[in-house]
Amino acid sequence: MNDALIAGLRAQCGGPRDGALLRFSLGNALLERGDHVAAADEFRRAVQFDSNYSAAWKLLGKACLAGNDAAGAAEAWRQGVAVARERGDKQAEKEMTVFLRRVESKGEG
């Protein structure tokens, strides 16, 4: 099922529906499949379309961390915290702040 979803989402990339939500959805499906590097690439594309997409910043950090890129995760969460704070998205800000502290406390970020 997930492979069919990923194929369907990829088929829409580059078309008229390409955008932050499509790339976020594709990144999320790839993350669930365990393809952390490809997921991170899609989340990066999502924030290129919409740099204020705090959920994409959050999952970009998760994908980076799962792919053993703690520095990339920390940077994504720093960006995400700033975006969430600016938008008043308190829940996303709190979550990413916790994730960022964990990475920084391990000396990884």
Side-chain angles (χ1 to χ4, degrees):
M1 176 64 182
N2 200 15
D3 288 340
L5 173 63
I6 290 168
L9 293 170
R10 281 190 169 144
Q12 296 178 59
C13 293
R17 293 186 178 191
D18 202 354
L21 181 58
L22 174 64
R23 297 303 179 132
F24 177 83
S25 299
L26 178 53
N28 197 36
L30 290 164
L31 188 60
E32 287 179 10
R33 186 170 76 181
D35 193 345
H36 307 120
V37 173
D41 288 343
E42 294 304 330
F43 292 129
R44 284 186 185 98
R45 287 184 184 99
V47 298
Q48 285 174 345
F49 278 108
D50 181 359
S51 62
N52 291 320
Y53 201 162
S54 53
W57 286 112
K58 181 175 86 169
L59 290 188
L60 172 56
K62 286 189 169 203
C64 288
L65 189 61
N68 295 315
D69 179 9
E75 182 55 31
W77 289 328
R78 283 187 199 102
Q79 293 279 342
V81 166
V83 165
R85 187 172 293 140
E86 187 175 302
R87 296 183 64 222
D89 188 350
K90 297 294 184 190
Q91 184 60 36
E93 179 184 350
K94 285 180 186 179
E95 289 175 11
M96 286 184 278
T97 299
V98 169
F99 299 152
L100 181 57
R101 284 186 189 142
R102 287 179 188 157
V103 168
E104 290 175 337
S105 71
K106 293 179 183 179
E108 298 174 338

